[in-house]
Amino acid sequence: MKYLKLFLQERKGKVGITLIMLLGQVVGTLLIPFLMAGIVDNGILKGDMNEILHIGVQMIVVLFVTTVVAVLGSYYSADLAAVFGYYMRDKIFRKSQELSIHEFDTIGVSSMITRTTSDISNLQQTFGLFLQLIVPAPLMIGASIVMTAYTSSSLALALIVSVVIFIVLAGLVLKKSIFISKKVQAKLDKINQVIRESITGIRVIRAFGNERYEEGRADKAFRSYATDMIKLNKLFAVLNPTIWLIIGISIAIIVWIGGVLSMKGTMDIGQITAVTEYSIITLSYLILATTTSVTLPKMKSCLDRLEEVLEINPEIQDLNIEKECTKDNHAVVEFKNVSFFYNGAEEPVIKNISFSCNKGETSAIIGSTGSGKSTIANLMLRLHDIEQGEIRINGADIRSLSQKELRDTIGYIPQKAFLFSGTIEDNLRMGYKEATKEDMERALRISQSASFIDKLPLGVNTEVSQGGSNFSGGQKQRLSIARALIRKVPIYIFDDSFSALDLKTDLALRKSLKENMTDAVKIIIAQRVSTIMDADQILVLDEGKLVGSGKHTELMKNCSVYQAIAKSQMDIKES
């Protein structure tokens, strides 16, 4: 509830106006039975038409003002709920940008989507209903009981007993429903996960003929969710008729007691009418409040899930470390005795690695699957923090730089090429917002993308489907490379980003990089020896250790791991 309280404190003015409108609605609603009693006792029973007209005009004015105030109260409640939805979405989105890769994976993509969409929508909707229907209820009930007690203490006691029974019953149901609601939201995460996988993996599913298996998996998730929803609905199905039974009995008792008092001459008929109206108003607001409170356990569950994300203390934070440069050579990137463990791992994935990359040179990293190649790129970007050693860029420890400052010095092309929906130009501008037409043309030319973009009718204004599904793997890789190259930075990391390119395009791209990016450090992580043969230095990894360093010809003579990789690829090529 922490963030709900913070929101209400920040919006005190708007909350105050909303409460005033709701209070006005309560006052207006309670005045109607009071005026009605006056018409009956002072007008109809006495045959005084002037009194009837006089009080009737007062009722019309009160009704009009109450209606206006009620509309304004609903408007401000809905507006406050919408602003709260925006407030939580903004906080969750900003928080998601701060989380480390490990923390994001721990929560899960499907769960994160559910929390950002479904959970916040439920929260927003329930918050609006809470303001309109639950907040006025205590005021309305308290005032009705006071007005009834002013007329008759016996009738007030009957009303109080009805309210207490009502609240106890509703409390028991709500308490039990909280546990079920938490399970429902967790199972909604599972449904989203299954659906997401079945949609994104549709090609694989059909290729293996796994449609029936996926249908069964989805059916299991749907049934599990439906079972808990049915339990929840059964709980409230019992509550509703019980509430109406209490209302019926309460009104019957009030009318019976009122009739006895009227026959004794201690109570007027108009007063009985007013008390009956107060009882109906009280119990009606209780019904509305209870109906809305059905969603409160779900709202609390959603709020808890959102606060769970917001309360995470990010592993990767900007540290208050003095920026101390120890640059005494031409090295732009330096790894000094770096070791790194993944959370829960018994063995380090990177073990005591040291190397340096000089200005204008191309450094390549090669090794078998799981040898730690991509981990080195992630450590340079500080997507993970190292346990031992130092990583320096331009002589400064990367932990002394802000995350923005660090990543502004690196152009990164990930292993999996990903394009965002929009146009090609939009994707390029993600790399550099102020890019000119010349900047784009240069990046497309170096990345070998110009050859296929020039053939598109709309050129860089061509629409990109979600994930870049309207482009081939090689085209997506080249556009991802262009997006990074459009930024003029001192370091570029190519994380196996030539894998989908044919050998001719691969060769042309590397040649273009060498000719045009003469001052930048280029780090190429690759699987193919042919991609890195002309690198200034090749780093060979094996099980997280640096087992070789040098040029291609040197490594072919003195590094058995590199020899084995090269030989295996030559054998594959020959076969």
Side-chain angles (χ1 to χ4, degrees):
M1 302 297 283
K2 172 185 174 182
Y3 291 91
L4 177 57
K5 290 176 183 176
L6 285 173
F7 171 77
L8 294 175
Q9 287 171 2
E10 290 176 15
R11 303 294 192 287
K12 283 188 289 188
K14 188 169 282 189
V15 171
I17 293 171
T18 305
L19 292 177
I20 288 169
M21 294 297 114
L22 295 174
L23 181 61
Q25 181 183 342
V26 169
V27 172
T29 304
L30 291 172
L31 278 174
I32 300 300
F34 179 77
L35 294 171
M36 189 182 294
I39 286 180
V40 172
D41 291 334
N42 300 324
I44 296 173
L45 294 179
K46 293 181 179 179
D48 189 344
M49 184 57 68
N50 290 331
E51 189 67 16
I52 293 172
L53 290 172
H54 178 68
I55 298 175
V57 169
Q58 291 179 2
M59 285 184 68
I60 291 171
V61 171
V62 170
L63 280 169
F64 177 76
V65 173
T66 304
T67 302
V68 171
V69 170
V71 169
L72 289 173
S74 297
Y75 169 79
Y76 281 113
S77 297
D79 183 60
L80 204 58
V83 173
F84 182 51
Y86 169 81
Y87 175 84
M88 291 303 293
R89 279 193 184 92
D90 183 61
K91 281 201 169 293
I92 286 288
F93 181 78
R94 289 178 184 275
K95 188 70 176 185
S96 70
Q97 303 303 301
E98 298 173 7
L99 299 178
S100 70
I101 302 300
H102 170 255
E103 288 163 338
F104 210 97
D105 289 342
T106 301
I107 297 168
V109 175
S110 299
S111 181
M112 200 70 181
I113 292 171
T114 306
R115 294 176 204 229
T116 311
T117 53
S118 174
D119 284 9
I120 293 180
S121 294
N122 284 328
L123 199 63
Q124 180 177 322
Q125 184 180 14
T126 305
F127 184 57
L129 292 173
F130 176 82
L131 289 173
Q132 292 181 58
L133 302 177
I134 296 180
V135 170
L139 299 173
M140 190 71 77
I141 293 164
S144 294
I145 290 172
V146 169
M147 297 287 280
T148 303
Y150 179 74
T151 305
S152 168
S153 57
S154 301
L155 294 177
L157 182 61
L159 185 56
I160 290 169
V161 170
S162 301
V163 169
V164 170
I165 293 171
F166 192 104
I167 290 172
V168 169
L169 180 64
L172 291 172
V173 172
L174 290 174
K175 185 179 179 181
K176 193 170 182 180
S177 67
I178 288 173
F179 174 71
I180 300 174
S181 294
K182 287 181 179 178
K183 289 173 64 180
V184 164
Q185 289 306 111
K187 288 179 179 180
L188 189 59
D189 284 347
K190 183 64 178 177
I191 287 175
N192 282 338
Q193 180 188 343
V194 170
I195 291 174
R196 184 172 178 270
E197 288 177 352
S198 65
I199 292 172
T200 55
I202 189 66
R203 287 186 176 86
V204 178
I205 292 167
R206 290 183 179 176
F208 283 88
N210 261 8
E211 290 89 349
R212 288 192 177 279
Y213 172 76
E214 289 300 320
E215 285 172 10
R217 201 160 71 103
D219 184 63
K220 185 179 177 182
F222 297 157
R223 284 181 183 278
S224 180
Y225 176 78
T227 300
D228 282 337
M229 279 302 296
I230 289 168
K231 286 180 184 176
L232 199 60
N233 290 332
K234 281 181 177 178
L235 210 56
F236 291 108
V238 172
L239 181 63
N240 286 336
T242 307
I243 288 169
W244 285 107
L245 177 64
I246 293 171
I247 290 172
I249 293 172
S250 301
I251 292 174
I253 291 171
I254 288 167
V255 171
W256 176 66
I257 295 172
V260 171
L261 293 174
S262 178
M263 289 175 67
K264 291 181 178 179
T266 57
M267 192 172 189
D268 295 330
I269 294 173
Q271 289 178 318
I272 297 174
T273 306
V275 170
T276 304
E277 285 295 319
Y278 289 138
S279 303
I280 292 171
I281 289 170
T282 299
L283 296 170
S284 296
Y285 264 85
L286 276 174
I287 290 172
L288 292 172
T290 305
T291 305
T292 304
S293 64
V294 170
T295 60
L296 287 181
K298 197 171 184 180
M299 176 185 173
K300 187 180 184 305
S301 175
C302 292
L303 196 55
D304 288 344
R305 282 158 50 85
L306 294 169
E307 290 188 352
E308 181 186 349
V309 175
L310 294 173
E311 288 298 301
I312 294 174
N313 191 27
E315 292 177 353
I316 310 298
Q317 296 186 26
D318 292 340
L319 304 176
N320 190 21
I321 298 175
E322 186 178 346
K323 192 185 293 184
E324 186 179 325
C325 291
T326 60
K327 189 172 180 180
D328 54 4
N329 51 40
H330 297 292
V332 176
V333 177
E334 294 176 274
F335 273 60
K336 294 183 176 181
N337 304 314
V338 172
S339 295
F340 170 71
F341 288 79
Y342 280 115
N343 282 354
E346 295 180 0
E347 293 290 326
V349 68
I350 293 292
K351 305 171 187 175
N352 199 35
I353 283 183
S354 298
F355 66 87
S356 61
C357 303
N358 299 324
K359 182 177 180 180
E361 292 185 352
T362 298
S363 298
I365 302 174
I366 195 168
S368 58
T369 301
S371 60
K373 302 185 299 296
S374 294
T375 302
I376 287 179
N378 291 336
L379 293 176
M380 281 183 63
L381 289 160
R382 207 174 162 229
L383 299 178
H384 304 288
D385 268 338
I386 58 176
E387 276 78 20
Q388 297 172 10
E390 289 181 332
I391 301 174
R392 291 185 172 272
I393 290 180
N394 289 322
D397 189 320
I398 62 170
R399 288 168 293 191
S400 68
L401 306 172
S402 70
Q403 293 177 68
K404 184 180 187 309
E405 189 179 1
L406 169 64
R407 291 161 194 168
D408 280 347
T409 65
I410 300 174
Y412 175 63
I413 303 92
Q415 197 168 11
K416 183 179 179 181
F418 186 86
L419 300 179
F420 294 86
S421 55
T423 64
I424 292 174
E425 182 178 341
D426 293 335
N427 274 272
L428 293 176
R429 288 193 183 280
M430 284 195 70
Y432 180 45
K433 290 181 182 178
E434 287 75 36
T436 63
K437 186 179 179 181
E438 289 73 24
D439 291 333
M440 290 186 200
E441 289 174 351
R442 173 179 173 275
L444 292 171
R445 185 181 70 255
I446 296 172
S447 67
Q448 308 303 301
S449 304
S451 56
F452 73 86
I453 287 177
D454 289 342
K455 295 175 184 177
L456 299 173
L458 298 177
V460 293
N461 293 315
T462 301
E463 286 291 326
V464 178
S465 300
Q466 186 177 12
S469 58
N470 56 332
F471 292 99
S472 69
Q475 288 172 336
K476 284 194 286 187
Q477 276 198 340
R478 282 180 277 173
L479 287 172
S480 295
I481 292 169
R483 182 172 58 199
L485 295 181
I486 205 166
R487 303 173 68 186
K488 295 173 182 176
V489 292
I491 305 165
Y492 293 95
I493 303 174
F494 302 85
D495 187 359
D496 202 14
S497 46
F498 300 161
S499 58
L501 305 181
D502 59 83
L503 293 176
K504 182 181 177 182
T505 306
D506 184 339
L507 180 61
L509 177 52
R510 284 185 286 112
K511 182 182 177 183
S512 184
L513 285 171
K514 192 170 185 177
E515 292 173 352
N516 292 278
M517 317 297 287
T518 54
D519 292 332
V521 168
K522 299 169 284 295
I523 299 174
I524 299 175
I525 298 169
Q527 299 278 3
R528 295 191 307 220
V529 171
S530 60
T531 299
I532 61 172
M533 287 176 64
D534 58 350
D536 296 297
Q537 75 166 335
I538 301 172
L539 307 171
V540 185
L541 295 182
D542 184 43
E543 295 184 354
K545 296 177 181 177
L546 184 61
V547 295
S549 174
K551 290 182 178 292
H552 171 73
T553 52
E554 297 169 2
L555 293 170
M556 287 299 289
K557 292 177 183 177
N558 56 33
C559 182
S560 59
V561 174
Y562 187 78
Q563 291 167 7
I565 294 170
K567 186 176 183 299
S568 67
Q569 293 183 13
M570 284 188 285
D571 290 344
I572 291 168
K573 192 174 179 181
E574 288 169 5
S575 62

